[in-house]
Amino acid sequence: MTHDHHDPAPRATQTEGQTDVLPLAEESLVVGKQDVVTGRVRVRTQTKETQEIASLDLASEDADVVRVPIGREVDAAPPVRTENDVTIVPILEEVMVVEKRLVLKEELHIRRRTSVESFEEPVTLRRQEAVVEREDATGVAVGKRP
């Protein structure tokens, strides 16, 4: 930044009745910035695959279920038990013992009666009729026919 240093007030010089005024100048600096594209960057991804062997011991268990019919009455539910390597789970069912008897509860006695009653009520019935009208060339009606 450059400045010319001058006195703050203009200087007047005098020459035989004449005064000269000298203008003073001052320089100033304005600083700014501007975006300038100097290049570009392109970014992309690549996927690469590799084959590897994954080793792992997998355990599995199966169960064989055999239904054994028993059909015996018991007083209480037997517990789940194990015999050798077999787990035995009792399956219970409550059975209702019902005794049926045929009992006449009631009878329905039905008697038929026939009666005749006269009934009148006014009703509106509608009917359509076609009416044919003839006109001459001037539009005057020349005859009607039902």
Side-chain angles (χ1 to χ4, degrees):
M1 184 158 138
T2 308
H3 282 288
D4 286 334
H5 292 292
H6 296 285
D7 290 337
R11 246 188 208 163
T13 57
Q14 286 184 332
T15 326
E16 292 182 19
Q18 187 178 1
T19 304
D20 289 330
V21 176
L22 297 176
L24 296 178
E26 179 180 336
E27 293 182 343
S28 64
L29 176 66
V30 176
V31 178
K33 64 180 182 175
Q34 178 180 358
D35 290 339
V36 176
V37 176
T38 60
R40 294 191 174 160
V41 175
R42 178 178 296 167
V43 177
R44 62 186 180 97
T45 61
Q46 284 184 319
T47 302
K48 295 187 178 183
E49 294 180 358
T50 59
Q51 297 289 325
E52 294 185 15
I53 296 176
S55 298
L56 180 57
D57 293 329
L58 301 175
S60 66
E61 260 186 306
D62 288 55
D64 292 325
V65 177
V66 178
R67 294 180 179 268
V68 179
I70 303 294
R72 175 174 21 111
E73 287 187 29
V74 292
D75 295 328
V80 176
R81 65 186 190 280
T82 303
E83 293 179 4
N84 297 325
D85 63 342
V86 177
T87 301
I88 299 170
V89 178
I91 305 297
L92 301 171
E93 176 183 46
E94 288 185 333
V95 178
M96 183 180 288
V97 178
V98 178
E99 184 179 324
K100 264 178 22 173
R101 293 184 188 172
L102 191 58
V103 176
L104 180 61
K105 180 178 175 182
E106 64 180 325
E107 293 178 333
L108 297 178
H109 294 232
I110 301 171
R111 183 174 297 131
R112 292 184 189 200
R113 280 185 268 157
T114 304
S115 64
V116 176
E117 179 181 337
S118 293
F119 175 77
E120 290 183 6
E121 182 174 330
V123 293
T124 302
L125 300 176
R126 294 184 288 188
R127 182 177 77 194
Q128 289 183 332
E129 293 180 352
V131 176
V132 178
E133 296 180 358
R134 296 186 186 268
E135 296 178 354
D136 62 12
T138 62
V140 175
V142 291
K144 279 189 182 178
R145 285 173 71 190

